[in-house]
Amino acid sequence: MANNINTNDLTLLTAHEQAELLNAKQVSSTELTGAYLNRIHALDEQVNAYLTVTDDVALKTAKEVDDLRAKGEKLHPLAGVPIAIKDIVVTKGIQTTAASKILEGWIPPYDAHIVTKIKDAKLPILGKTNMDEFAIGSSTEYSGYKITHNPWDLAKVPGGSGGGSAAAIVASLAPLAVGSDTGGSIRQPAALTGTVGVKPTYGGVSRYGAIEMASSLDQLGPCAKTVLDTAYLQGILGGYDAKDSTSLDYDHNRMASAALKGKNQDLHGVKLGIVRELTGEGFADDVQKSFDSAVELLKEMGAEVQTVDCPSFDYSLAAYYILMPSEVSSNLARFDGMRYGLRACGDNLSAEQTMRLTRAKGFGKEVKRRIILGTHALSSGYYDAYYGSAQKVRTLIQRDFTNAFEKVDALISPTAPTTAFKIGEKMTADPVTMYKNDIATIPVNLAGTPAMSLPSGLGADGMPIGFQIMAPGKMDDRLYFVGSALEQALCEKNGALYEKIQFGKQAVNMKTEAK
Amino acid sequence: MATEPKNYVDYETALKHFDVVFGIEVHIELSTKTKLFCSAPNAFGAEPNTLISPVSLGLPGALPVLNEKAVEYAIKLGLALNAKINKKSYFARKNYYYPDLTKNYQTSQSDEPTIGEGHLDLQISDTEMFRIDIERAHLEEDAGKNTHVGGAEGRIFGAQYSLVDYNRAGVPLIEIVTKPVFGAGENAPEIIAKYVRELRDIARTLEISDARMERGNVRADINISLSPKGSGKLGIRSETKNVNSFRSIEAAAHYEIIRHASILLEGETVTQETRHWHEATSSTTSGREKSNADDYRYFPEPNLVPVVISDEWIDQIRAEMPELPAHKRARLTKEWGFSPKDMQDVLNADALALVEMTVTHGTSAHNAKKWWLGELSRIAKEASLSLTDLAITPENVAEIQKLIDDGKVNDKIARKIITDVIAGKGTVAEIVANENLEIVSDDSALKKFVQEALAEQPDVAEKLRNGNMQPIGVIIGIVMKKSQGKADAKKVREIILAEK
Amino acid sequence: MEKAETNFSVQKVKHLADLARIEFSEQELDELTSELNVISDAINKVQEVANDDVERTTHPFALENVFRKDAVGETLEQKSALAAAPKQKDGMFLVPQILAED
């Protein structure tokens, strides 16, 4: 370890900064990875970001990277920078549960495509992060194991379903994390935790080995403290995979160059559209205010901003809550206690009864609710009216995007209607209250287009606010370009948001001093 | 509602009162190297659960990718069935829970299958054809296999538990569904069996399936319903499953017609249900009641994209189509100088391909037919094997027949060679050489045996010399014995006549 | 197209639970029924704009003919295929007695 750096400072750096230290041999991956593991063991009991921590796996990769670097081997630029993976992603030899009791103890015999890519790039895997069960939820309160707390205020939710990955990032329990986004599960937690999260174009990142929630909407993507870090991570995760029939072939290395270019803060010639349906009513005042001042910054950098209409977005929540549960009802059918995972009863009952009891015991309440709703939407006599209509709404939403992108290069909106709410606050009898958190994030999932959430400031309650950028399909680089410019401008104006968090600073010092 | 009648009427009575309407669903397992949606091998007889990948085991996160060859095979079959090849087809999920189904949905095709309407003409007599109209044919994945343990003869009822092998899970199937078929009359059972056999032959000819009934490569579900004679009113149908030989198909249809008629004539209503065929008792028993509560909740499989078939693709496959069985049968009947009955006998013995290949190796069609339908059928029957399972090839048979034609062995020795080949004692040539089986056609050797025989039997020799040819067999018999059966009897007779 | 209005009754939810193979207690069924009725109001809205002239979207991007060559790839070893099985016997998955034939 270079003598001018200590472990506390190390974990507060961005992944990009850590990679530079590793490449300059100022820090070893073993030191960096060890620093994170220390922090996780010291602090995660307060956050519950992780379901599984894999010290041995991480340190083995770290040592390998250090050895290869010592030999002068050519390594991936991010080699040795640790990463956390949402528990929805299948990892060979590492328990994978999707935060469901029904998969408790399941050790997969194969790796997801992106895990293979992460291993190829030699990023030490710190562990698996908490989430709402099967990524169904918007607060991580529906995890089958534990509730993740928002490091900005431990009484509040970190958003969901990827609350674990987002909380791990902002609490500096991982510099990089993988999330999955079906209706906002990367972006809404990013907004609520003051981090950056990107849902790439549908097909941009292979879904092979991502436990399916709603297959036509699911997309894996990067989570990190900065736009540039997410760009680098998308460079690793993205790319064509023949094992995913919906995979698209386009260049993901251009994300990082777009993010670097964005740092120049020159948006002349860039046309941005505020989505009329995703502002104003339904969005909290402080959220709207933060959004408006970010828009001013964008204009100052030369962007032309106009308001555009996307009338069908008003129907996106309804369409989403038909399509998603329908696919959920089918995707989760395989969890029946026959081949793997939980079997809830002894041998004296029939296979059918065993399935019924296993699913009753293994699934949480929200998952069951959506399975029943989806079963209804697909059932004979209702299919055309529900599923069929929702597919048509999808077409209409795509048309809205197409029309909008004829006028502007990217669309913008707040990511979530409010800042983080209190744990337990929305677990009410009316599930629709919770569903409305996703109002701004859902349209891009229905259209398959990419979107990013980055922090735009803090709300009246001192909690982070997210700013969403949406781009046309395969044009993910526009997110990184515009996002990076805005991030840079905000940083110059207010300082980096993630540095304002109080959580964990003291604890790390204590821990380090104790050593 | 009734599932069984109190008394059974006879077949003639059934047909006197009712018109038979039937429909057939045939599943053909394709012989692709890999499964429909993953690269695990498609093979028969491996150790359980060794031919599986995360996809075919339905592991969380595993995604399907369509096997191009399976689509090609579907197009081939569609062309053979004179069917519409749909320009755009989709896969859908058929949702239902069953332990042999790894994902608890079957990936199949619903509203928009790859193959649309078509037809197949069956020759039902020397002059008559019968057309079966086909509704559709679609691609889908097979399920795993359950073995029920603890019940009688491995059946489900009374079993304590089941063991599941997923080797078959994901094997590509094409399901061919007919429209309701009317007007077959008393021939309905025979026509049903003929139709399935024709599909089997087509699948083999196209080389899209091993099409072995006994391995379940071809599985037929038979829907039967009866309507009062001339009423045109559709009756309630039953669907008989688990029928895996042509004879059983015919028998099951026959049985179901009688059962339906008996129930209806007793004034009862037939229950709409699945029936199971039992070989041992030649009867069907009640299975699962089919109700409208079956709700498969089909929806488009989001993990697969549409299949689009261009005219160029179809033309390319059409250009490579082999001669289809019906055409081939007509051609061979003519070329071989067979009567329609000769051909029918060959077909009934499932020996067309064997005879044809034997002919290809130089044997006359009549001789090839004689061997396969005679001696070889006898051996197969004795060993409870099908002709194709015998350890003898058409080439072997042709070789043996040539030895006869060349006068090198006689019929009796030929049969011995066949037995030895099947017993694995070597090639035809090796067996002939090792056991010194070749006919003694060496004139001097035979002449010596004849002279010895005449000397041993002076009385007979005398008679022969006096022109009484009746006891010539005695001398021939002695010569055969001396040559250890290897003498050519015709030749021996000639020598005796010269030497007497 | 015909519109569907759903009012969930306990009986209907029970039928759906049967289709979905989930056991519920009477109390759970009651709760679920009232929750589903709230959700139902929110989702019925899709029918307002789903006119006959709008085509359906299944995939965000109109891909077609994504195929795999018919070549054998990696398989799982029997041991690892069965590793997570709740019960196994003779290289096979042991499942409780199956009452109804498919």
Side-chain angles (χ1 to χ4, degrees), chain B residues 276-287:
Chain B
H276 296 283
W277 172 250
H278 304 282
E279 199 73 58
T281 54
S282 287
S283 62
T284 67
T285 56
S286 190

Side-chain angles (χ1 to χ4, degrees), chain B residues 75 79 85 87 309-318:
Chain B
I75 297 171
L79 291 174
I85 313 292
K87 295 267 168 274
I309 298 168
S310 64
D311 290 338
E312 292 72 40
W313 196 2
I314 296 174
D315 289 345
Q316 189 192 330
I317 290 173
R318 199 193 303 276

Side-chain angles (χ1 to χ4, degrees), chain A residues 106 109 201-202 216 245-246 248 314-315 318-319 321-322 337-341 343 347 349-357 359-360 365 368-369 371-373 375-376 382-386 388-389 391-396 398-399 429-432 435 447-448, chain C residues 1-6 8 12-13 16-24 28 31-32 35-36 38-40 42-61 63 66 76 80-81 84-87 93-99:
Chain A
W106 185 53
T201 302
Y202 182 83
S216 73
S245 303
T246 60
L248 300 176
D314 287 343
Y315 298 89
Y321 276 93
I322 289 168
M338 298 295 118
R339 291 160 293 280
Y340 45 79
R343 180 180 289 180
D347 296 338
L349 296 173
S350 67
E352 184 182 335
Q353 193 60 16
T354 304
M355 289 181 184
R356 296 169 66 100
L357 292 172
R359 292 165 63 76
K365 195 174 167 181
K368 288 181 207 170
R369 192 150 56 203
I371 290 174
I372 298 297
L373 184 60
T375 304
H376 169 62
Y382 294 94
Y383 176 79
D384 283 327
Y386 285 115
S389 298
Q391 285 186 304
K392 290 180 174 183
V393 170
R394 245 185 132 155
T395 307
L396 295 174
Q398 281 192 333
R399 283 186 199 164
D430 175 2
V432 178
Y435 297 172
Chain C
M1 189 191 53
E2 239 174 87
K3 297 228 159 124
E5 281 296 319
T6 308
F8 287 93
K12 182 175 179 59
V13 175
L16 294 171
D18 280 338
L19 281 177
R21 291 281 193 278
I22 303 177
E23 189 80 18
F24 285 105
E28 284 174 321
E31 276 177 32
L32 188 54
E35 288 160 3
L36 288 172
V38 175
I39 300 170
S40 170
I43 64 173
N44 278 328
K45 200 177 170 183
V46 285
Q47 300 174 68
E48 291 172 12
V49 284
N51 300 320
D52 291 343
D53 58 336
V54 181
E55 71 275 21
R56 298 174 174 199
T57 294
T58 297
H59 292 94
F61 298 95
L63 299 173
V66 176
L76 294 171
S80 71
K87 275 200 150 181
F93 293 84
L94 190 155
V95 304
Q97 58 176 157
I98 300 168
L99 293 184

Side-chain angles (χ1 to χ4, degrees), chain B residues 33-35 38-39 41 48-49 52 65-68 97-98 156 159 162-164 276 288 302 304 306-308, chain C residues 19-21 59 63-65 67-73 75-76 78 81 89 91-93 95 97-98 100-102:
Chain B
K33 289 190 190 73
T34 63
K35 294 186 177 180
C38 72
S39 60
N49 296 306
I52 51 181
V65 184
L66 180 58
N67 187 339
E68 184 171 23
Y97 287 81
Y98 208 68
I156 193 162
S162 298
L163 297 174
V164 196
H276 296 283
R288 194 168 60 97
L304 292 166
V307 175
V308 175
Chain C
L19 281 177
R21 291 281 193 278
H59 292 94
L63 299 173
E64 57 190 42
N65 288 359
F67 295 130
R68 186 173 57 72
K69 291 283 171 225
D70 187 25
V72 173
T75 53
L76 294 171
Q78 190 193 58
K89 193 174 193 284
M92 288 181 272
F93 293 84
V95 304
Q97 58 176 157
I98 300 168
E101 298 205 36
D102 158 41

Side-chain angles (χ1 to χ4, degrees), chain B residues 268 276 377:
Chain B
E268 291 282 351
H276 296 283
S377 284

Side-chain angles (χ1 to χ4, degrees), chain B residues 7 24 30 74 81 92 113 129 135-136 170 228 246 281 286 298 332 409 428 446 478 496:
Chain B
N7 296 296
I24 314 164
L30 301 182
L81 298 177
M129 302 295 278
E135 173 76 36
R136 56 184 281 158
F246 301 123
T281 54
S286 190
Y298 280 102
L332 291 179
V409 303
V428 173
L446 286 182
I478 295 168
I496 296 169

